[in-house]
Amino acid sequence: MFTGQMKYVAHGAGYAGFRMRTAGTVDFSNATYEEMRTFADAMLAQGSVSEGAFDFLKEPEGEEQRYNYLEEVKNLKTQQRDSGDMEGYRKVQEAYEAMRSLTCKSVYLESESGQIAVSYRQGEQTSGVLGLGAVGNVPFFARYAEHSTAERPIVEVCLKTSEGEQRYYVDVNAIDKGRATEMELFALLSHCEKQGMAVGNPNLYQEGRAEGIFDACNLIEFLYTNQDWNAKLSECTDQRISETLLDLLASFQNADNP
């Protein structure tokens, strides 16, 4: 779920003129490729977006074909967020905000440094948290890291300690299940649940804690103690959860990480 926010940005008179011309001529819900390409080039030239923000634009077969690009970029943004492609998400987010800025009503404020344009910026109501847990009195959560991609998902595990926030990054495709920490398994399971691979098991890590599979008593054990999880799960008395976890671990085995 998303919510609109307002962002204050200082612009010169040239920007206001460009906005007035473009807003009246480009309907992002029914635009041609050429209209979108012209708009994208203008946004890039004035520094409103970074390189690659509009790479999602595909040239149609017909020159005058029109598409709902606003809906397309909105759906693409959601797909990238859900797949863990945060690099792509950030770029498409810039494009979406640039498009929405021109479809929202203009508001200009005067300041000592000149005119300030109040433009649209999309905010998140959801936190992006994939999973939650705690060891002792230290809570932690998982989310996709900013450099995560769909092909190489990177999970960021954040711990809230008395000394402040600690962050660790886990490449889930590179986890060695025969020698991995409990933190790495927490990251892996959080990713699996987000991708719908743990059907009927909404919180496998917490279930594993309840069954004594994940039994780290302190941060040192959680962060640094390596275990052979295939062997440990094979010894688990709860066959349902052990088989579920073993199947998930097996699905991530590959030639580079047997």
Side-chain angles (χ1 to χ4, degrees):
M1 186 178 295
F2 303 100
T3 181
Q5 299 176 347
M6 303 308 287
K7 177 177 65 177
Y8 293 84
V9 185
H11 296 291
Y15 173 81
F18 172 79
R19 187 192 190 290
M20 291 173 63
R21 293 194 303 273
T22 307
T25 57
V26 180
D27 177 1
F28 298 117
S29 64
N30 186 35
T32 66
Y33 172 79
E34 288 303 322
E35 287 175 329
M36 290 300 301
R37 189 71 266 165
T38 299
F39 171 75
D41 291 343
M43 292 294 99
L44 184 61
Q46 71 181 34
S48 294
V49 299
S50 58
E51 193 73 40
F54 283 89
D55 282 354
F56 68 91
L57 293 178
K58 304 297 182 182
E59 190 167 2
E61 295 179 2
E63 188 174 316
E64 293 301 318
Q65 278 186 297
R66 293 180 175 273
Y67 294 94
N68 188 339
Y69 285 100
L70 191 61
E71 187 67 22
E72 180 179 332
V73 72
K74 182 178 179 181
N75 292 337
L76 178 59
K77 188 159 58 68
T78 300
Q79 293 169 14
Q80 289 174 321
R81 175 67 179 267
D82 289 347
S83 72
D85 185 1
M86 301 309 290
E87 289 186 354
Y89 173 85
R90 288 198 313 278
K91 289 183 178 180
V92 176
Q93 172 88 338
E94 291 182 9
Y96 182 76
E97 289 176 359
M99 294 162 69
R100 289 293 293 152
S101 291
L102 295 187
T103 58
C104 293
K105 184 178 180 180
S106 304
V107 177
Y108 295 95
L109 302 177
E110 295 296 336
S111 70
E112 293 181 358
S113 57
Q115 194 176 60
I116 298 177
V118 183
S119 59
Y120 177 91
R121 180 178 177 82
Q122 185 194 57
E124 300 282 357
Q125 280 192 324
T126 55
S127 63
V129 170
L130 305 178
L132 298 166
V135 173
N137 62 350
V138 178
F140 52 82
F141 65 90
R143 63 187 174 199
Y144 287 120
E146 289 189 358
H147 55 291
S148 174
T149 65
E151 295 75 22
R152 188 185 178 190
I154 308 295
V155 173
E156 178 183 355
V157 180
C158 301
L159 294 87
K160 301 287 188 178
T161 71
S162 58
E163 299 177 353
E165 186 174 273
Q166 298 180 22
R167 301 180 183 184
Y168 299 85
Y169 298 89
V170 180
D171 182 342
V172 297
N173 290 334
I175 294 175
D176 179 358
K177 276 72 68 175
R179 190 175 181 276
T181 65
E182 188 169 314
M183 178 187 68
E184 291 176 311
L185 265 291
F186 168 67
L188 174 61
L189 295 180
S190 297
H191 168 69
C192 289
E193 289 161 8
K194 179 62 176 179
Q195 299 308 314
M197 301 171 64
V199 179
N201 298 275
N203 198 327
L204 284 171
Y205 177 75
Q206 294 298 341
E207 287 191 50
R209 290 286 294 186
E211 293 298 326
I213 297 171
F214 304 119
D215 54 4
C217 297
N218 52 59
L219 283 185
I220 298 299
E221 293 181 1
F222 180 71
L223 295 172
Y224 303 115
T225 300
N226 291 306
Q227 301 186 61
D228 183 342
W229 294 99
N230 289 319
K232 188 169 185 177
L233 288 168
S234 298
E235 299 170 356
C236 179
T237 56
D238 189 326
Q239 188 174 4
R240 180 191 64 83
I241 190 170
S242 64
E243 289 182 352
T244 299
L245 291 171
L246 283 169
D247 287 344
L248 284 177
L249 295 184
S251 69
F252 276 84
Q253 291 179 351
N254 52 55
D256 297 327
N257 186 23

